[in-house]
Amino acid sequence: MRLAFIDNIRWTMILLVLSMHASDTYSPFGSWYYTDRGDAGFGTIIIFALYQTFLQAFFMALLFFVAGYFAAPSFDRKGLLRFSRDRFVRLGLPTLLYMLLIGPLTQYFLSKTWGSGGFGHQWLVHLRDGEWLSETGPMWFCAALLALSLAYALVRGARPATEHGGSSRTDSRTILAFIAGMALATFLVRVFVPETVSVLNMHPGDFPQYVLMYISPVCADVYRRHRGLSRRLVRAPAAAHCRALGSWDSPVVPATPRLADRGGRRVAP
């Protein structure tokens, strides 16, 4: 059975990804393969800054949350090996295709950030120097999600969950504490890690938000299993996000903003 609010979140976030990359093309902020940036006035800079900052605050984290929401039931149906294989096929293979073919073609012919000597020569250089390992480009999301999914599968495989009786309800204080902890962790990482540092084409300052949003429904499912609760507990944070978007199970969600990702660039030697 399809969940209307999940479908609404997904297509809304996809539209916001497109809008973010469109903004990167003309905005003085962010990086992208193709840019067309003229002299921007103060008002234009403020508008781009507000929009892109607002998007960055929640959008990719919400996609990690949705992925974590379905991790537990998917593992229950498939088991360790099938779950891991399925995630590699869905996330790993497209990422490798981008890193080895689509990304190089884009950088050589569109952004022209590679050196001379022909595409074939530069592609071999790209492979030999190992730079392709850091060239996930906009596929960083799939690479990060694959890593989180495999880590979850290993933990679940090593410690099978058991069912116990019990009952409980959503605790608003726990949710507030989670939000405060995520904000504090993000702040501390961004204070001590330079902006130039990048892992999987992603700044470590985003890690706390993405990791915590992925594991929050996973942890809720573990709690549910040990207390014999229904999956309503896992849906509580999703409900809060949907209310923030202005919808719950409505077939249509108002298009709301969020951030984009980065396009990996290769500097010519």
Side-chain angles (χ1 to χ4, degrees):
M1 182 182 67
R2 299 189 67 88
L3 301 176
F5 76 93
I6 292 294
D7 288 340
N8 288 338
I9 290 175
R10 282 173 172 161
W11 70 254
T12 303
M13 294 305 103
I14 290 172
L15 290 178
L16 295 179
V17 170
L18 296 176
S19 74
M20 174 59 78
H21 286 310
S23 297
D24 286 337
T25 301
Y26 304 101
S27 165
F29 309 104
S31 63
W32 192 232
Y33 294 108
Y34 176 79
T35 58
D36 184 9
R37 295 167 177 170
D39 294 332
F42 179 75
T44 301
I45 293 175
I46 289 297
I47 291 174
F48 272 123
L50 290 175
Y51 181 66
Q52 291 177 269
T53 302
F54 175 63
L55 294 187
Q56 179 67 41
F58 74 93
F59 137 128
M60 296 309 299
L62 187 53
L63 291 178
F64 277 104
F65 180 89
V66 171
Y69 182 96
F70 289 105
S74 178
F75 188 95
D76 291 341
R77 294 193 310 270
K78 301 175 181 179
L80 174 61
L81 294 180
R82 187 181 165 202
F83 176 86
S84 301
R85 183 177 65 249
D86 178 72
R87 288 300 183 271
F88 178 76
V89 171
R90 291 172 177 264
L91 301 171
L93 291 183
T95 302
L96 288 175
L97 177 63
Y98 183 90
M99 295 167 67
L100 295 174
L101 183 61
I102 298 176
L105 287 172
T106 303
Q107 294 183 64
Y108 186 82
F109 291 105
L110 179 61
S111 63
K112 302 185 186 301
T113 54
W114 280 19
S116 59
F119 174 77
H121 169 73
Q122 287 297 322
W123 187 75
L124 291 176
V125 172
H126 182 65
L127 294 182
R128 284 198 301 266
D129 62 15
E131 191 173 4
W132 67 276
L133 294 172
S134 62
E135 296 290 348
T136 54
M139 295 298 289
W140 67 265
F141 172 76
C142 292
L145 185 55
L146 175 62
L148 289 173
S149 299
L150 294 180
Y152 168 71
L154 290 176
V155 172
R156 275 292 304 271
R159 301 181 61 182
T162 56
E163 300 283 353
H164 298 285
S167 62
S168 184
R169 61 178 181 174
T170 303
D171 187 347
S172 298
R173 290 176 298 178
T174 301
I175 295 177
L176 291 175
F178 172 81
I179 294 172
M182 181 166 58
L184 178 61
T186 301
F187 173 78
L188 291 176
V189 173
R190 288 194 173 274
V191 166
F192 294 105
V193 179
E195 186 65 28
T196 54
V197 175
S198 177
V199 179
L200 291 177
N201 203 32
M202 176 172 52
H203 187 269
D206 295 325
F207 283 11
Q209 187 186 37
Y210 298 158
V211 173
L212 289 173
M213 288 297 286
Y214 179 85
I215 68 174
S216 59
V218 168
C219 291
D221 188 79
V222 171
Y223 180 78
R224 177 194 66 81
R225 289 169 177 277
H226 283 276
R227 298 296 300 273
L229 307 178
S230 72
R231 291 194 183 273
R232 286 186 305 171
L233 176 63
V234 185
R235 294 182 181 177
H241 279 292
C242 289
R243 292 190 186 100
L245 288 173
S247 171
W248 174 233
D249 281 327
S250 168
V252 178
V253 164
T256 327
R258 179 295 127 125
L259 153 74
D261 354 323
R262 306 158 182 80
R265 295 189 173 208
R266 181 173 189 266
V267 180

